């Protein structure tokens, strides 16, 4: 699964890894955020369920790991799309 995510990260992000294995490492970091975000958000809220805004915020957290590695124009478009989605 990580290798598939690593390939997707490169394809969608139009990024060039700085060292061999970095694309896989970044994909693993995204997976770690996604895997743990739900538990964190539920525990933080103390309500026993995930709210939609928490799920959207989880997307932002995972993308913030990747955006420094994206081409600048693509990173701006990704951030704008996330901001539109997480607003309100």
């Amino acid at each position: 699964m990580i290798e598939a995510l690593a390939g997707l990260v490169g394809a969608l992000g139009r990024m060039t890894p700085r060292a061999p294995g970095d694309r896989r490492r970044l994909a693993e970091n995204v997976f770690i955020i996604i895997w743990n975000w739900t538990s964190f958000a539920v525990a933080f809220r103390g309500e026993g369920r995930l709210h939609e805004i928490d799920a959207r915020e989880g997307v932002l957290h995972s993308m913030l790991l990747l955006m420094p590695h994206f081409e600048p124009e693509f990173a701006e478009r990704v951030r704008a799309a996330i901001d539109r989605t997480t607003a309100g």
Side-chain angles (χ1 to χ4, degrees), residues 5-87:
L5 183 55
L8 184 61
V9 163
L12 292 179
R14 294 187 286 197
M15 61 185 269
T16 303
R18 296 181 183 182
D22 278 359
R23 188 174 287 165
R24 178 188 49 79
R25 289 180 190 101
L26 286 167
E28 289 171 349
N29 289 344
V30 169
F31 185 79
I32 290 166
I33 293 288
I34 292 168
W35 185 265
N36 290 294
W37 179 254
T38 300
S39 297
F40 171 79
V42 168
F44 182 72
R45 295 268 187 214
E47 296 182 20
R49 68 183 185 91
L50 186 69
H51 294 267
E52 183 179 346
I53 193 67
D54 295 324
R56 292 176 182 174
E57 187 71 14
V59 170
L60 177 57
H61 278 271
S62 62
M63 286 295 104
L64 286 173
L65 291 171
L66 299 176
M67 287 173 38
H69 304 281
F70 291 159
E71 293 175 358
E73 184 179 305
F74 184 77
E76 288 176 20
R77 291 190 353 240
V78 169
R79 182 59 192 248
I82 291 170
D83 287 347
R84 281 192 305 273
T85 302
T86 57

